[in-house]
Amino acid sequence: MGGWFYQYREELVEGFDQETAAVVLARYISLKMEIEEEFDATRWLDRSLIRLCSRFGDYRKDDPSSFSLHSNFSLFPQFMFNLRRSQFVQVFNNSPDETAYFRMLLNRESITNSVAMIQPSLISFSFDSPPSPVFLDVASIAVDRILLLDAYFSVVIFHGMTIAQWRNMCYQNQPEHQQFAQLLQAPQEEAQVIINGRFPVPRLVVCDQHGSQARFLLAKLNPSATYNSAHDVPPGSDIIFTDDVSFQVFCEHLQRLAVQS
C-alpha cells in the first residue's frame, strides 16, 4: 500500500502543471464566490495550499527550515499568493459588473493569458542592460529604470524618478542624448505590441514614481518593503503603504503550518 502511494505521488509530481493548476483554482473559486454567499476564498485557498505542501513537500516533521518543494511545484505558492491579492478574490474596489467581466475573461482565455491575469509580468528597461524580466516586487523599482507591467486588463509604463525628471527636462530631444530617447521609446513600443495583439484592448497607464497613477503598478507588487520597514529600503527604491504580508512572510507561515505534526 505504501509503495503504491509513493509511486502514485511521484507520477503526480512529475506530471503537475502549476500554471494550469493555478488557473483551474482561480476559475473554481470564482464560481464558488458567485454561488456561495458565505464562501471565504482566501481561507479556502490557504487551507488548500497548506494541504498540498504538507502532502507533496519534502521536510522533517516540525522543522520548517527543512521544507522544500519539487521544481514542478516551486512557483505554485507564488501563484496562490498573487491569486489571493487579485481582482478575482479581492472584489472590494470593483463594481459587480467589473467583477463579472474579469471572471468571464478568466473562463474564456487561454492558460497563458489567464496566468497573466493572476500574476502579471514585469519587464525592466535601463541603460545598463537589455530589456529583461524582473521580480514582481517593490524592490524592482529604481530611479533610473522604466518598468513595463502586463496585468492583462491593463498595461503600465512606470518611469523611475530620475528618468521622469530627465524626460520633463526634454533631454530626449537633444542630439547628444539619443540613447535616452531610445530608452523612453522601447517600453512604448513593447506596450503597443501587447495592446495590438489583445482583445479586449487593455488599458494603457503611463505614470511616474511617486505620481498618483503609480498605484496601478504598486497594487500588483509584492510588498517586501512597507512603511513598517522603510529603514531597510535602498536609496531610490520605494515602499508600499499596506498592512498585507509580503511573499516571504507568507511562505514562512506556509512552511510552518505544512510541517506541523
Side-chain angles (χ1 to χ4, degrees):
M1 180 68 176
W4 173 86
F5 172 78
Y6 284 110
Q7 180 181 357
Y8 175 76
R9 178 180 181 271
E10 289 303 314
E11 291 176 354
L12 184 60
V13 168
E14 290 297 331
F16 187 75
D17 186 324
Q18 48 198 339
E19 292 189 348
T20 300
V23 173
V24 169
L25 275 180
R27 292 173 177 176
Y28 180 66
I29 65 168
S30 293
L31 174 63
K32 288 183 74 67
M33 289 179 73
E34 288 185 358
I35 64 178
E36 297 182 21
E37 185 175 350
E38 300 299 324
F39 178 67
D40 189 334
T42 300
R43 184 180 295 273
W44 187 90
L45 278 174
D46 289 346
R47 289 177 174 174
S48 299
L49 184 58
I50 291 168
R51 286 197 300 268
L52 181 142
C53 290
S54 180
R55 187 167 299 176
F56 294 100
D58 294 317
Y59 55 87
R60 294 185 298 272
K61 286 289 187 182
D62 301 317
D63 183 5
S65 64
S66 68
F67 181 85
S68 65
L69 278 173
H70 189 278
S71 58
N72 284 3
F73 286 89
S74 60
L75 295 178
F76 194 69
Q78 185 175 322
F79 287 143
M80 294 301 97
F81 174 77
N82 286 295
L83 176 57
R84 293 166 84 255
R85 304 173 70 233
S86 72
Q87 62 272 18
F88 305 114
V89 175
Q90 305 299 330
V91 300
F92 179 74
N93 289 322
N94 299 320
S95 70
D97 287 347
E98 287 175 317
T99 298
Y101 169 73
F102 296 147
R103 289 172 176 169
M104 178 192 70
L105 289 184
L106 175 68
N107 283 288
R108 192 190 73 177
E109 289 297 329
S110 65
I111 296 297
T112 300
N113 287 341
S114 297
V115 168
M117 300 177 196
I118 298 168
Q119 181 169 297
S121 62
L122 191 64
I123 300 175
S124 168
F125 297 79
S126 68
F127 289 112
D128 301 328
S129 60
S132 56
V134 292
F135 290 116
L136 193 66
D137 193 294
V138 67
S140 295
I141 294 176
V143 295
D144 58 350
R145 174 184 286 180
I146 303 174
L147 296 176
L148 175 64
L149 177 84
D150 179 9
Y152 190 83
F153 299 107
S154 62
V155 175
V156 182
I157 300 175
F158 178 93
H159 302 93
M161 186 168 57
T162 300
I163 297 291
Q165 290 173 346
W166 289 347
R167 182 205 60 212
N168 293 340
M169 295 170 70
C170 297
Y171 282 5
Q172 68 274 17
N173 297 331
Q174 300 174 13
E176 63 270 27
H177 295 300
Q178 285 304 301
Q179 187 178 4
F180 178 59
Q182 293 170 1
L183 178 64
L184 288 178
Q185 186 62 28
Q188 294 280 352
E189 293 176 351
E190 183 66 26
Q192 202 57 54
V193 169
I194 295 172
I195 291 171
N196 290 343
R198 185 170 297 161
F199 182 83
V201 176
R203 176 181 184 179
L204 176 63
V205 178
V206 180
C207 58
D208 300 334
Q209 187 176 5
H210 306 312
S212 62
Q213 290 193 310
R215 66 185 187 277
F216 287 98
L217 173 71
L218 297 177
K220 297 295 184 180
L221 300 181
N222 172 38
S224 60
T226 68
Y227 65 93
N228 288 320
S229 60
H231 57 281
D232 298 327
V233 178
S237 188
D238 217 323
I239 62 174
I240 297 178
F241 291 90
T242 181
D243 290 323
D244 290 346
V245 300
S246 66
F247 179 61
Q248 179 181 359
V249 173
F250 176 79
C251 286
E252 290 172 355
H253 287 298
L254 172 62
Q255 291 171 7
R256 188 178 70 252
L257 294 170
V259 303
Q260 283 182 352
S261 300

